[in-house]
Amino acid sequence: YAAIREYKFGFQRLPKQLETEFVFPDGSVSIFEISIQPIPEGLFILSIDKSEQHKAKEKITASELKYRNIVETIHESLIIEDLEGKLVYANKEFSNIFGFEGDDLKTISLKDYTSEDSYEEIVLRHNKRIQGISVENEFVYKGKRKDGKEIWIEARVSPMIENGRITGTQSLERDITARVIAEEKEKKIGRMFAFLSAINQSIVHSANQDELMNTLSTIAIEIGQFKLAYMGLLDENNKL
């Protein structure tokens, strides 16, 4: 009412639109959109109840805040990339894993957080998804932190679709470097046990020295996975 009174007795006679709260006698509150239009006879005032729209907007805002809170607190990196592979959105865990934050997030793309060893494959997968070609959604690749350190990443990627069109990709990723290192260490230990066992068997079953030397060299390369194997004999004075 105060706004209408001010408009009515003020000097300006221009159309005006505003929103205001109205408290009913029972204490309930409604939101009204008021449009004021000057006419020769005085003022034309249109009042529209916007209470339901405001309630719906508040619900949407609350839902968005809840979703954002979930996204920012999950222990996985959430990445959204556009058609060209440029970063559109990344949550806090992305910064924790890759080291990029603040203004970095405005300019980086796939190349900045993907190791050279994996970049070509990652770009190929991205382009296929954008083209609608079926490609494996879950895979492991070698990523790269801002400081250049290479890390192993487990990723789940899917295309983002709006109005029937692919607009980019969405990825959930986590750092599995510690797991990969542990698995490689376990494999290496297992390989060494197999290597030593095969050597023992060869010593027992080889018919002569030349056969044993050839067999040991083959075992070292095929089972031990040595890049180069050399066998020699030392005499009683430890000379070759």
Side-chain angles (χ1 to χ4, degrees), residues 3-62:
I4 297 174
R5 183 179 178 84
E6 179 184 348
Y7 182 89
K8 182 177 180 180
F9 295 101
F11 295 101
Q12 293 185 347
R13 302 283 289 177
L14 300 174
K16 189 173 184 179
Q17 190 175 69
L18 56 92
E19 281 191 355
T20 186
E21 288 186 353
F22 182 84
V23 182
F24 291 92
D26 62 0
S28 60
V29 179
S30 292
I31 306 294
F32 287 91
E33 180 183 87
I34 300 176
S35 298
I36 306 174
Q37 180 73 35
I39 58 176
E41 294 81 6
L43 295 176
F44 173 77
I45 301 174
L46 176 65
S47 179
I48 302 175
D49 189 344
K50 291 284 186 175
S51 302
E52 292 302 319
Q53 289 91 326
H54 271 263
K55 289 178 182 179
K57 185 177 180 180
E58 288 175 357
K59 287 182 179 179
I60 292 173
T61 302

Side-chain angles (χ1 to χ4, degrees), residues 31-233:
I31 306 294
F32 287 91
E33 180 183 87
I34 300 176
S35 298
I36 306 174
Q37 180 73 35
I39 58 176
E41 294 81 6
L43 295 176
F44 173 77
I45 301 174
L46 176 65
S47 179
I48 302 175
D49 189 344
K50 291 284 186 175
S51 302
E52 292 302 319
Q53 289 91 326
H54 271 263
K55 289 178 182 179
K57 185 177 180 180
E58 288 175 357
K59 287 182 179 179
I60 292 173
T61 302
S63 178
E64 289 177 345
L65 289 173
K66 183 179 179 180
Y67 173 74
R68 177 172 289 275
N69 184 58
I70 293 173
V71 166
E72 292 298 334
T73 55
I74 59 174
H75 296 296
E76 288 184 302
S77 168
L78 174 61
I79 305 171
I80 296 177
E81 296 155 340
D82 64 13
L83 297 176
E84 287 74 38
K86 184 179 179 181
L87 188 72
V88 175
Y89 172 81
N91 67 349
K92 185 177 179 180
E93 188 63 15
F94 173 85
S95 297
N96 294 338
I97 293 175
F98 292 94
F100 295 96
E101 55 187 351
D103 290 339
D104 296 333
L105 304 179
K106 299 177 182 179
T107 58
I108 61 175
S109 61
L110 276 169
K111 189 173 185 180
D112 297 293
Y113 45 90
T114 305
S115 166
E116 291 184 6
D117 295 340
S118 297
Y119 180 67
E120 186 175 341
E121 178 187 357
I122 293 299
V123 170
L124 180 62
R125 288 174 179 270
H126 179 81
N127 291 338
K128 284 184 176 180
R129 286 191 191 90
I130 296 305
Q131 295 168 19
I133 301 173
S134 179
V135 63
E136 186 179 9
N137 291 331
E138 297 185 15
F139 57 93
V140 173
Y141 76 95
K142 192 181 289 186
K144 181 177 64 176
R145 287 178 50 83
K146 182 180 179 179
D147 59 12
K149 180 182 178 181
E150 293 184 339
I151 54 178
W152 286 101
I153 299 295
E154 184 177 68
R156 288 174 289 165
V157 187
S158 58
M160 294 191 66
I161 301 175
E162 295 181 11
N163 299 321
R165 299 181 62 183
I166 296 176
T167 59
T169 62
Q170 176 177 282
S171 311
L172 280 174
E173 303 186 352
R174 56 178 175 168
D175 185 351
I176 60 167
T177 305
R179 190 184 83 189
V180 171
I181 292 174
E183 289 175 349
E184 286 298 322
K185 185 177 180 180
E186 185 177 345
K187 288 179 182 178
K188 185 176 181 180
I189 292 173
R191 189 166 63 246
M192 291 307 296
F193 275 121
F195 170 62
L196 294 173
S197 177
I199 287 178
N200 290 334
Q201 292 293 321
S202 298
I203 293 173
V204 173
H205 295 98
S206 294
N208 54 62
Q209 181 177 297
D210 290 339
E211 181 183 338
L212 176 61
M213 289 297 184
N214 290 331
T215 302
L216 293 180
S217 296
T218 301
I219 291 173
I221 293 174
E222 294 183 355
I223 299 179
Q225 295 187 8
F226 290 90
K227 293 183 178 180
L228 178 65
Y230 172 80
M231 299 296 168
L233 292 177

